[in-house]
């Protein structure tokens, strides 16, 4: 995707990306959002808002200004550089899964790969939530869609994020 003009993303896709990366518990910190926005030269148009709204407003504003989605992809790549997660690789996997649940619906199907890059998927875009969950291979997504009790997920978090096939410990 590098070097090509990327079509604008639908507002729902930018919102989903912002919700994942701006999540209070698992996303970027406020200062990390500011640093990544500066890194990709996107103006922080609403720095006093909540993290995900701040990120959404900055990316949507720049995307509309450029009439292209390159700034959105650049931000995801900057945020997902694997070296940034050297002390917490499970967090990389968690954010990767969340982003992939959103990106699978965009531009014929996209994903964040293990190198932190945004790449096209061969099978094309997902049209339903079930299809997105199945195609992204996220155990966390499947459990959430099946309304598994949060305590079960909490006790199994490390194994789920590591994609461990062995049973969870309690």
């Amino acid at each position: 995707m590098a070097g090509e003009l990327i079509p604008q993303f639908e507002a729902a896709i930018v919102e989903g990306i912002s919700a994942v990366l701006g999540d209070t518990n698992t996303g970027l910190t406020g200062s990390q959002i500011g640093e990544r926005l500066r890194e990709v030269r996107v103006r922080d148009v609403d720095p006093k808002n909540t993290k995900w709204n701040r990120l959404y407003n900055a990316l949507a504003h720049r995307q509309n200004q450029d009439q292209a989605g390159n700034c959105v992809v650049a931000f995801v790549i900057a945020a997902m550089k694997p070296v940034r997660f050297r002390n917490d690789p499970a967090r990389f996997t968690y954010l990767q899964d969340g982003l992939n649940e959103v990106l699978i619906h965009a531009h014929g199907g996209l994903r964040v790969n293990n190198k932190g890059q945004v790449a096209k998927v061969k099978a094309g875009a997902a049209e339903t939530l079930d299809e997105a969950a199945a195609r992204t291979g996220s155990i966390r997504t499947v459990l959430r869609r099946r309304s598994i009790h949060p305590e079960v997920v909490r006790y199994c978090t490390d194994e789920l994020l590591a994609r461990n096939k062995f049973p969870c410990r309690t």
Side-chain angles (χ1 to χ4, degrees):
M1 299 200 79
E4 67 182 84
L5 185 65
I6 299 165
Q8 285 185 272
F9 288 90
E10 294 177 26
I13 300 295
V14 178
E15 182 181 330
I17 291 167
S18 300
V20 170
L21 293 176
D23 182 79
T24 301
N25 299 314
T26 58
L28 305 177
T29 65
S31 61
Q32 288 170 332
I33 289 172
E35 291 164 6
R36 298 298 82 77
L37 287 171
R38 283 188 295 279
E39 184 179 332
V40 298
R41 296 183 174 92
V42 172
R43 188 166 64 92
D44 194 349
V45 297
D46 198 8
K48 302 264 190 243
N49 210 329
T50 62
K51 291 188 305 179
W52 82 267
N53 272 318
R54 170 187 180 194
L55 184 54
Y56 172 81
N57 290 337
L59 294 175
H61 180 267
R62 179 62 184 267
Q63 177 177 252
N64 290 336
Q65 182 181 12
D66 295 349
Q67 293 295 293
N70 294 63
C71 66
V72 176
V73 170
F75 187 89
V76 169
I77 291 170
M80 294 301 293
K81 286 183 180 177
V83 70
R84 297 191 198 283
F85 300 90
R86 66 194 175 280
N87 293 326
D88 193 358
R91 188 165 163 252
F92 175 89
T93 302
Y94 187 86
L95 292 174
Q96 180 186 34
D97 286 348
L99 289 168
N100 287 344
E101 291 171 30
V102 174
L103 289 170
I104 192 71
H105 296 279
H107 299 327
L110 300 174
R111 70 183 186 95
V112 175
N113 63 25
N114 290 336
K115 295 179 182 180
Q117 299 293 310
V118 176
K120 291 186 182 266
V121 297
K122 292 179 183 176
E127 295 184 20
T128 67
L129 294 175
D130 288 337
E131 185 181 353
R135 299 238 324 269
T136 59
S138 169
I139 296 168
R140 182 178 54 87
T141 302
V142 171
L143 292 177
R144 227 181 33 235
R145 298 247 325 123
R146 292 185 181 178
S147 300
I148 300 296
H149 194 279
E151 284 297 304
V152 172
V153 177
R154 187 171 76 80
Y155 282 107
C156 299
T157 298
D158 291 339
E159 289 83 359
L160 288 172
L161 295 180
R163 295 189 174 120
N164 190 341
K165 305 293 186 221
F166 295 101
C168 300
R169 293 177 287 234
T170 54

